[in-house]
């Protein structure tokens, strides 16, 4: 399961420092996690640990993401040596005052373009009913976004892009996965459960990537910085949702690797992935986010995960050098 | 106050110099920089004398005759020369006269050394350089990077060319 420096812990147990390794122990015994090739640790169940352990992973620069039993995100433990730049934070706040609308519009445009690419695949495979939505994404959305509109209007367009996207599932997903309505906390059906779990995973991945830059996690552009969360992570993850989260869902559901009766918790009306389901999902999610391709501008191989950090760099360039911020595009691969 | 790292970067690459001076230090992820840091630590362990901090400069080692700077490779001797001249100049201001010595610790234990002397001529030049660096780092935006071979292994490559 471990790929590219990320480790997931699914069962209950204890994490501790054992010499210079991380040891996970439960009634089944001790498991060792080599510290040198770990960058992120995900705890998806009840896990206990002490400050000696936290100090150890902090020195190794590992971020620890914690989830409760229901798969809800609880928080992240950060190493102390963060790349903090007061100077950049001041300029980031200034950019928020000066160009919030411009950045927010570009994020919504990127969501819409990346959804277009994702949905177009099904249109090409004979799902002609998708045509009106595709046309709307291609011509109407950019037109709306060109107008001089308020942040509320920008967010309204974003809402429309997503809700019409969810509505389009009925044309290409099996019936038991069709979404009638996006419900978040708690999700009320299998597809909502997948979307929530996937979005949360992507959100934590983005937190780890932003952590490797000097950006301030709380000053965001599309989402309100008032949300009291790491709202910049919500902003930067948006463009990657269609690519990473939804493509993973569509593949797993389309190939019947995830099934309602087998991989969801029946006692909760199938509104929660069971452990087996989480494992399948995370495995596919990790494969997807670590998929590499040639970056046309940098001329080197990058993964989607790495591109989240590169979007962070683009945002820094906007903040420092007033360069336009254009989030990752699936079509242009940069 | 201009540090040894900054004057080194100024000769190596002005974009890097600006970014570093403006607290955008991206080296954390660079393997080369990590090797450089480890090399410093190992050298420190061997010699009982540890790194010395004077004002805002860090001197690797100082002996009766020499101020010694350790480097991983001799890829940019010009930049190292100015870094050492800055240190010698700072020491002179404290009334300490030394010769500079750079030790390049390359793979296979090949150690090359180079002696650098601070004289009136290069001291004058140094002061002019320091003034130019101050002007550069005070400008509101970084200079545009030019793609060169050395860029490919720089920690700032992705930031510069994205």
């Amino acid at each position: 399961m471990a790929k590219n420096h990320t480790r997931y812990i699914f069962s209950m147990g204890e994490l501790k420092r054992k010499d210079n390794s991380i040891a996970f122990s439960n009634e089944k015994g001790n498991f060792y996690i080599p510290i040198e090739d770990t960058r992120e640790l995900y705890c998806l169940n009840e896990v206990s640990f002490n400050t000696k352990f936290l100090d150890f992973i902090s020195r190794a620069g590992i971020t620890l993401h914690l989830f409760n039993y229901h798969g809800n995100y609880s928080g992240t433990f950060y190493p102390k040596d963060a790349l903090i730049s007061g100077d950049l934070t001041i300029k980031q706040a200034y950019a928020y005052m000066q160009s919030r609308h411009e950045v927010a519009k570009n994020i919504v445009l990127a969501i819409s373009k990346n959804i277009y690419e994702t949905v177009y695949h099904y249109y090409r495979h004979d799902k002609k009913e998708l045509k009106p939505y595709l046309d709307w994404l291609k011509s109407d959305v950019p037109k709306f976004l060109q107008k001089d509109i308020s942040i509320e209007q920008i967010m309204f367009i974003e809402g429309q892009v997503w809700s019409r996207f969810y509505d389009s599932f009925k044309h290409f997903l099996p019936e038991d996965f069709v979404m009638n309505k996006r419900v978040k906390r708690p999700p009320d059906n299998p597809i909502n459960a997948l979307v929530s779990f996937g979005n949360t995973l992507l959100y934590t991945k983005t937190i780890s990537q932003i952590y490797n830059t000097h950006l301030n996690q709380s000053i965001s552009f599309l989402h309100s910085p008032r949300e009291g969360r790491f709202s910049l992570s919500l902003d930067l993850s948006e463009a990657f949702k269609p690519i990473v989260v939804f493509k993973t869902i569509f593949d797993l559901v389309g190939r019947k690797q995830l099934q309602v009766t087998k991989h969801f918790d029946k006692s909760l009306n199938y509104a929660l992935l069971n452990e087996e389901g989480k494992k399948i999902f995370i495995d596919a999610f990790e494969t997807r986010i670590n998929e590499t391709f040639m970056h046309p501008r940098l001329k080197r191989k990058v993964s989607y995960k790495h591109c989240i950090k590169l979007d962070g760099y683009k945002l820094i360039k906007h903040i420092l050098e007033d360069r336009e911020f254009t989030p990752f595009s699936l079509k242009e691969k940069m | 106050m201009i540090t040894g790292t900054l004057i080194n970067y100024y000769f190596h690459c002005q974009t890097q110099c600006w970014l570093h001076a403006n607290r955008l230090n991206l080296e954390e992820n660079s393997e080369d920089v990590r090797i450089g840091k480890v090399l410093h630590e190992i050298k420190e362990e061997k010699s009982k004398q540890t790194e010395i901090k004077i004002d805002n400069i860090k001197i690797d080692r100082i002996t009766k005759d020499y101020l010694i700077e350790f480097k991983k490779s001799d890829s940019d001797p010009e930049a190292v020369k100015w870094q050492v001249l800055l240190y010698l100049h700072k020491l002179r201001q404290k009334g300490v006269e030394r010769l500079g010595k750079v030790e390049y610790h390359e793979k296979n234990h090949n150690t090359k050394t180079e002696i650098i002397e601070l004289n009136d001529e290069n001291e004058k030049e140094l002061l002019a350089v320091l003034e130019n660096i101050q002007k550069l780092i005070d400008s509101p935006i970084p200079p545009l990077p030019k793609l060169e071979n050395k860029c490919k292994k720089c920690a700032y490559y992705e930031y510069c060319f994205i």
Side-chain angles (χ1 to χ4, degrees):
Chain A
M1 176 82 49
K3 275 190 204 89
N4 280 306
H5 311 309
T6 304
R7 314 276 163 162
Y8 289 89
I9 290 164
F10 291 96
S11 40
M12 282 169 80
E14 189 185 1
L15 274 168
K16 52 193 172 192
R17 174 180 185 169
K18 197 96 189 225
D19 300 322
N20 279 323
S21 265
I22 301 169
F24 177 71
S25 62
N26 58 17
E27 65 274 15
K28 283 183 203 152
N30 278 326
F31 301 90
Y32 291 94
I33 302 169
I35 189 135
E36 66 273 11
D37 57 70
T38 304
R39 287 283 161 271
E40 282 178 290
L41 260 174
Y42 282 76
C43 296
L44 299 172
N45 212 323
E46 239 181 270
V47 172
S48 53
F49 41 76
N50 58 20
T51 52
K52 188 175 146 195
F53 170 76
L54 292 176
D55 180 60
F56 180 53
I57 62 166
S58 168
R59 273 192 281 143
I62 295 172
T63 45
L64 176 72
H65 302 292
L66 304 167
F67 292 73
N68 67 15
Y69 172 77
H70 297 289
N72 293 323
Y73 174 61
S74 320
T76 299
F77 172 76
Y78 257 15
K80 67 172 179 193
D81 293 317
L83 297 176
I84 291 170
S85 164
D87 209 30
L88 187 73
T89 298
I90 291 165
K91 288 175 178 159
Q92 193 179 338
Y94 186 72
Y96 170 82
M97 304 298 286
Q98 291 293 308
S99 54
R100 180 178 180 191
H101 288 67
E102 179 199 323
V103 173
K105 280 177 177 177
N106 281 353
I107 294 172
V108 177
L109 195 61
I111 300 169
S112 137
K113 281 184 170 173
N114 290 339
I115 287 182
Y116 182 92
E117 289 301 312
T118 310
V119 173
Y120 187 77
H121 167 86
Y122 295 96
Y123 172 71
R124 227 182 37 192
H125 287 86
D126 287 336
K127 306 290 181 200
K128 299 299 171 207
E129 307 89 325
L130 294 163
K131 184 108 177 40
Y133 177 54
L134 286 170
D135 289 344
W136 181 79
L137 284 176
K138 193 158 203 163
S139 61
D140 294 6
V141 171
K143 235 182 273 163
F144 290 140
L145 289 171
Q146 269 165 20
K147 290 182 187 155
D148 187 16
I149 50 177
S150 68
I151 202 79
E152 288 74 24
Q153 287 168 307
I154 297 170
M155 285 163 102
F156 177 77
I157 296 169
E158 188 215 351
Q160 288 291 303
V161 170
W162 286 118
S163 73
R164 292 190 193 199
F165 178 51
Y166 302 140
D167 192 46
S168 75
F169 293 0
K170 61 175 179 274
H171 301 305
F172 57 88
L173 285 190
E175 207 171 318
D176 47 358
F177 275 103
V178 164
M179 182 178 316
N180 352 344
K181 199 166 138 253
R182 174 84 180 104
V183 178
K184 287 180 187 171
R185 278 166 285 235
D188 73 343
N189 62 39
I191 190 83
N192 272 314
L194 287 173
V195 174
S196 287
F197 190 56
N199 282 348
T200 307
L201 280 180
L202 182 64
Y203 170 69
T204 56
K205 289 276 171 200
T206 312
I207 289 175
S208 295
Q209 292 304 308
I210 295 176
Y211 179 74
N212 289 316
T213 73
H214 294 76
L215 289 165
N216 185 302
Q217 303 256 13
S218 66
I219 303 173
S220 53
F221 296 82
L222 176 62
H223 294 84
S224 166
R226 274 177 230 155
E227 286 190 40
R229 285 190 281 172
F230 286 158
S231 42
L232 184 63
S233 188
L234 297 172
D235 275 11
L236 290 191
S237 65
E238 289 293 346
F240 293 90
K241 277 184 188 170
I243 305 165
V244 177
V245 178
F246 287 93
K247 282 209 167 209
T248 302
I249 294 175
F250 297 160
D251 280 358
L252 288 173
V253 170
R255 293 192 190 124
K256 301 205 173 10
Q257 281 163 293
L258 275 182
Q259 289 167 30
V260 171
T261 46
K262 258 164 95 180
H263 302 111
F264 291 83
D265 196 335
K266 192 182 170 200
S267 64
L268 287 160
N269 232 357
Y270 303 111
L272 201 65
L273 276 164
N274 62 23
E275 192 174 316
E276 173 74 11
K278 277 183 198 164
K279 279 184 180 162
I280 293 171
F281 186 85
I282 285 172
D283 204 25
F285 179 91
E286 281 289 326
T287 306
R288 178 89 195 145
I289 202 166
N290 288 307
E291 195 183 309
T292 57
F293 48 88
M294 189 56 84
H295 192 285
R297 198 176 291 150
L298 296 177
K299 308 267 188 293
R300 60 168 65 159
K301 275 198 137 186
V302 294
S303 63
Y304 289 113
K305 186 163 91 181
H306 193 75
C307 283
I308 302 176
K309 183 165 136 184
L310 294 177
D311 270 11
Y313 286 171
K314 288 183 202 161
L315 188 59
I316 296 177
K317 285 195 123 164
H318 170 70
I319 292 164
L320 282 184
E321 307 176 37
D322 204 23
R323 292 258 298 265
E324 187 176 1
F325 172 67
T326 317
F328 184 80
S329 149
L330 182 57
K331 196 175 180 190
E332 285 152 28
K333 289 273 196 237
M334 65 179 190
Chain B
M1 283 277 254
I2 288 155
T3 62
T5 309
L6 270 190
I7 193 167
N8 183 307
Y9 284 0
Y10 179 76
F11 284 96
H12 188 68
C13 166
Q14 301 209 354
T15 310
Q16 184 185 30
C17 179
W18 189 97
L19 290 168
H20 188 81
N22 285 275
R23 296 284 176 271
L24 232 73
N25 35 340
L26 301 174
E27 304 101 316
E28 302 299 319
N29 300 319
S30 159
E31 197 61 17
D32 281 345
V33 172
R34 209 182 64 84
I35 292 168
K37 276 187 184 151
V38 172
L39 192 70
H40 271 238
E41 278 167 27
I42 294 168
K43 292 289 158 203
E44 271 182 29
E45 266 174 31
K46 277 189 186 166
S47 71
K48 278 178 197 132
Q49 194 169 24
T50 49
E51 204 176 61
I52 303 161
K53 281 183 203 165
I54 300 170
D55 297 340
N56 60 336
I57 58 163
K58 282 184 201 145
I59 294 166
D60 286 348
R61 204 175 155 191
I62 194 155
T63 65
K64 193 159 65 65
D65 304 310
Y66 295 109
L67 168 144
I68 305 171
E69 171 71 18
F70 300 118
K71 286 285 174 222
K72 183 177 71 70
S73 85
D74 60 352
S75 62
D76 203 338
E78 181 69 6
V80 181
K81 184 185 97 185
W82 287 99
Q83 186 178 354
V84 170
L85 286 175
L86 173 72
Y87 296 164
L88 295 174
H89 167 74
K90 291 263 176 186
L91 286 182
R92 180 172 287 176
Q93 285 180 323
K94 308 263 171 211
V96 180
E97 288 290 334
R98 288 287 189 279
L99 276 176
K101 191 202 274 186
V102 188
E103 290 187 4
Y104 297 105
H105 295 264
E106 307 235 27
K107 286 168 224 152
N108 314 324
H109 307 288
N110 286 331
T111 305
K112 277 203 310 192
T113 58
E114 199 187 323
I115 303 295
I116 291 159
E117 192 187 344
L118 182 71
N119 54 38
D120 290 349
E121 198 188 327
N122 59 27
E123 189 165 34
K124 225 170 98 189
E125 239 179 293
L126 174 75
L127 294 175
V129 164
L130 292 178
E131 210 169 294
N132 287 337
I133 296 177
Q134 196 59 51
K135 262 186 228 151
L136 169 76
I137 64 186
D138 286 343
S139 77
I141 57 169
L144 278 182
K146 291 183 284 286
L147 185 62
E148 287 177 47
N149 265 336
K150 64 183 180 190
C151 294
K152 300 260 166 69
K153 58 182 179 196
C154 173
Y156 291 88
Y157 171 76
E158 292 183 338
Y159 177 81
C160 282
F161 299 103
I162 184 74

